[in-house]
Amino acid sequence: MNAVIPYASTEPAPRVDDGALRATGPWRITAADPALEQHVETLRALLAPHLPDRLLTAESSDTAAHALLLALDDAPPAPPRATLGIAPDGGAHPADEAYRLRVTADGIECLARTAEGVFRAATSAIQLIATAGACRELPFQEVTDAPRYAWRGLMVDPARSFLTPAELRRIIDLVALYKLNVLHLHLTDNEGWRMELPGFPVLTEPCTDGPVREFYTVAEFRSLQEYAARRFVTVVPEIDLPGHCGTLREAVPGLAEAPAPAGLRERFPFVPPLDLTDEATRATLTRLLADVCELTAGPFVHIGADEAFGATPKSFAASVRELRSIVREFGKSPVAWQESSRAGVEPRDIVQHWVDVPMMDLPDTEEELAARPELVAVGQSLPFIKALKKFFAPADHDVARVVEGGGRVLLSPQSHLYLDRPYAAGFAPPEQAEAAGRLGFASYRPRGIEHTASWDPAAHAIPDDCVAGVEATVFAEQFKGFDDVIVLLLPRLASVAEAAWCGRAPEWPEYRGRLARHARVWNQRGLPYFASTEVPWAE
């Protein structure tokens, strides 16, 4: 059995003798078709960390090198598997990502009908090479595979913890290696605005008396999208509105406040959401989103629309409808968090499901609260928890609204796919006890990595034709920096990638064995990870 993640079915290679490829020598990536030449250098860059001194250029004359061969093949390369969801590249139909991979005495052949399928095969080949043990032997075999869901994403949060362009490129490489194909960037929030807009320099101009503003210049954002596209990854920028707008309000004074529920201001502090029924405010946001849409190479712009605390339901719904209309006016398709369903849903709407009250896993009694030290430690009280449940109660019906309206649900359940959940201390090796106690959103119940791996997309009982895809998130309210992000992602991102590709949860005993060998992948790439004692990690 190979250690490829997401799981790929394997058979002994036909028409070859039993045996194995001794993969210790030099390697060369070659393209059998001119249309694939443009992908050779990208794949060389992905493979290089795993063959630091054994990866030759295409021009090398070494005839003993193993070949990683890229080739187009009209024959059906994989057994049929329904490809569900929204194509991240905006195509009317999801891309053909099915592939066949063969390990032979000469090397590894990556075969598919499309360049995207060949690229997915090549990432499986890279994993085979990287996860091989000390003997570096790859059994002769044939792998055939195809995805279940077309949208397979990861959201990161530079708004709260800035990630440099170089760090985002490393994340894009990781995303591509595990056959995810969307990078969703949460670029704005109360804590920061990370996207330069030509028409609004005030959002990113230097502060005279505050911290240095970190953001992506126009050139950097375009370059990131180009880098991602070469790896068949679509970048989706999120401009979170009408709530979560503290930084925008500070930079652009005078934006209208949404009408608030009676008595709320006296009970809770909040940043007032925006009111897009105000003509001047709508005009400002139209200009702002015009810049965002013009700078976005892909077909989607995420408008946020979550947690608009401090807006009446009527005001919130009106603002969401205006935001959708503006984004469509500039030729992009809006994506929004599930609260947007309360503004109505049409068949073209994509709604990201992240929460319902049962999923929040909150106590109902003082005794239950006392048994949750992570909640007690952050000062949560039973009255506060009851108020929180009341605020989120409409979330219990959001998915039904999407299905009834004919929209598509992007699955990102907080219970399993919010990877800012703390790791359970009981699974931390001694050298990572501090990280287990520090990282993650403090109010979430700590869990082991088997918990994330147990998630099954089918558990939500949403009709297949109403599922847009799967996306993990890692919000950054309570940690800082690239290493913290990666430790929260790894190893959990691998099981999310498997569920998104295969459409089901992996079988833990079998998956655990494959996952153990991916420590080699991450070590070779210089990526930290949480070495949970649930897994016998390979050296």
Side-chain angles (χ1 to χ4, degrees):
M1 175 62 67
N2 65 55
V4 172
I5 297 176
Y7 172 82
S9 60
T10 306
E11 299 292 341
R15 299 179 299 279
V16 298
D17 297 328
D18 291 339
L21 171 66
R22 185 82 174 170
T24 52
W27 284 79
R28 178 191 293 110
I29 302 176
T30 60
D33 299 89
L36 299 175
E37 289 284 356
Q38 61 182 310
H39 304 295
V40 170
E41 284 306 310
T42 300
L43 288 166
R44 286 189 83 255
L46 275 177
L47 180 56
H50 310 292
L51 295 172
D53 55 357
R54 295 187 289 122
L55 184 56
L56 307 180
T57 64
E59 295 76 25
S60 171
S61 60
D62 189 336
T63 58
H66 299 304
L68 183 58
L69 178 67
L70 314 178
L72 295 173
D73 184 356
D74 289 335
R81 179 190 285 165
T83 302
L84 302 174
I86 300 292
D89 64 358
H93 302 286
D96 183 351
E97 299 177 81
Y99 70 85
R100 179 187 294 120
L101 177 152
R102 292 194 189 119
V103 180
T104 71
D106 297 322
I108 303 177
E109 300 173 356
C110 301
L111 310 169
R113 286 179 292 247
T114 66
E116 191 162 354
V118 171
F119 190 91
R120 303 299 179 214
T123 61
S124 289
I126 292 170
Q127 289 190 28
L128 287 175
I129 293 167
T131 58
C135 66
R136 291 283 173 182
E137 286 195 345
L138 304 178
F140 296 154
Q141 60 189 280
E142 181 168 300
V143 172
T144 57
D145 210 3
R148 173 67 167 167
Y149 292 111
W151 184 305
R152 306 180 303 276
L154 169 67
M155 189 219 79
V156 295
D157 182 11
R160 296 184 176 100
S161 180
F162 187 71
L163 296 162
T164 67
E167 290 166 343
L168 282 182
R169 288 188 179 92
R170 295 182 73 185
I171 290 173
I172 290 167
D173 286 347
L174 183 65
V175 162
L177 197 60
Y178 287 100
K179 300 183 179 67
L180 299 172
N181 59 358
V182 173
L183 182 66
H184 168 180
L185 297 178
H186 185 74
L187 292 171
T188 73
D189 215 298
N190 294 326
E191 296 85 350
W193 187 283
R194 307 302 188 185
M195 184 179 188
E196 181 184 32
L197 299 180
F200 289 82
V202 67
L203 288 166
T204 49
E205 66 187 9
C207 297
T208 56
D209 56 353
V212 175
R213 283 182 174 162
E214 297 174 296
F215 60 93
Y216 307 113
T217 66
V218 167
E220 287 170 338
F221 186 63
R222 285 181 168 149
S223 177
L224 278 170
Q225 293 177 96
E226 292 166 1
Y227 185 91
R230 290 195 294 273
R231 288 148 179 82
F232 294 96
V233 173
T234 298
V235 173
V236 176
E238 179 184 350
I239 307 299
D240 202 351
L241 300 166
H244 290 272
C245 58
T247 304
L248 176 59
R249 281 197 170 285
E250 183 179 344
V252 185
L255 297 174
E257 296 184 8
L264 191 66
R265 296 182 189 280
E266 293 75 33
R267 290 184 289 150
F268 300 104
F270 61 90
V271 176
L274 302 176
D275 179 10
L276 272 82
T277 64
D278 174 77
E279 187 173 332
T281 299
R282 189 191 191 283
T284 298
L285 291 185
T286 297
R287 296 197 311 274
L288 185 152
L289 289 170
D291 275 4
V292 173
C293 292
E294 193 278 328
L295 294 173
T296 300
F300 299 104
V301 169
H302 202 301
I303 59 172
D306 64 315
E307 297 178 323
F309 188 78
T312 63
K314 181 179 179 181
S315 168
F316 171 73
S319 290
V320 169
R321 287 191 290 268
E322 292 290 351
L323 290 166
R324 286 175 179 160
S325 174
I326 293 167
V327 168
R328 289 188 174 116
E329 178 183 339
F330 295 111
K332 301 299 179 182
S333 296
V335 184
W337 297 103
Q338 69 181 67
E339 291 94 324
S340 65
S341 66
R342 300 164 210 173
V345 176
E346 298 179 12
R348 55 185 173 169
D349 289 328
I350 304 173
V351 179
Q352 193 162 4
H353 172 46
W354 69 280
V355 74
D356 54 37
V357 172
M359 188 188 303
M360 296 174 74
D361 189 22
L362 293 172
D364 292 313
T365 67
E366 291 289 356
E367 292 75 20
E368 291 175 357
L369 176 59
R372 296 285 301 278
E374 72 278 4
L375 299 179
V376 175
V378 296
Q380 289 200 5
S381 65
L382 203 60
F384 174 80
I385 290 170
K386 288 181 178 179
L388 200 62
K389 288 182 179 181
K390 182 178 180 181
F391 175 74
F392 280 100
D396 292 354
H397 308 287
D398 286 338
V399 169
R401 276 187 279 266
V402 179
V403 172
E404 290 165 5
R408 296 289 189 95
V409 179
L410 181 58
L411 291 169
S412 300
Q414 179 194 85
S415 57
H416 292 82
L417 269 57
Y418 268 46
L419 304 186
D420 50 329
R421 179 176 295 278
Y423 290 109
F427 297 125
E431 65 274 16
Q432 290 189 300
E434 182 273 337
R438 175 177 61 84
L439 294 179
F441 192 68
S443 295
Y444 292 164
R445 188 194 296 268
R447 299 284 193 180
I449 62 173
E450 184 180 359
H451 171 78
T452 303
S454 71
W455 180 70
D456 187 341
H460 298 268
I462 301 171
D464 281 348
D465 60 354
C466 292
V467 177
V470 171
E471 185 171 290
T473 75
V474 58
F475 284 99
E477 290 102 325
Q478 297 182 345
F479 63 86
K480 293 290 182 185
F482 177 77
D483 283 359
D484 284 355
V485 173
I486 298 300
V487 170
L488 285 168
L489 289 178
L490 298 176
R492 295 182 290 198
L493 185 65
S495 70
V496 178
E498 177 135 335
W501 181 269
C502 300
R504 54 174 172 74
E507 295 293 331
W508 174 250
E510 183 276 332
Y511 172 75
R512 179 174 171 263
R514 279 186 290 133
L515 183 64
R517 291 163 63 181
H518 281 253
R520 294 172 181 149
V521 177
W522 307 327
N523 286 331
Q524 291 162 16
R525 302 190 76 83
L527 296 173
Y529 65 96
F530 182 71
S532 171
T533 58
E534 298 161 274
V535 174
W537 299 103
E539 296 297 328

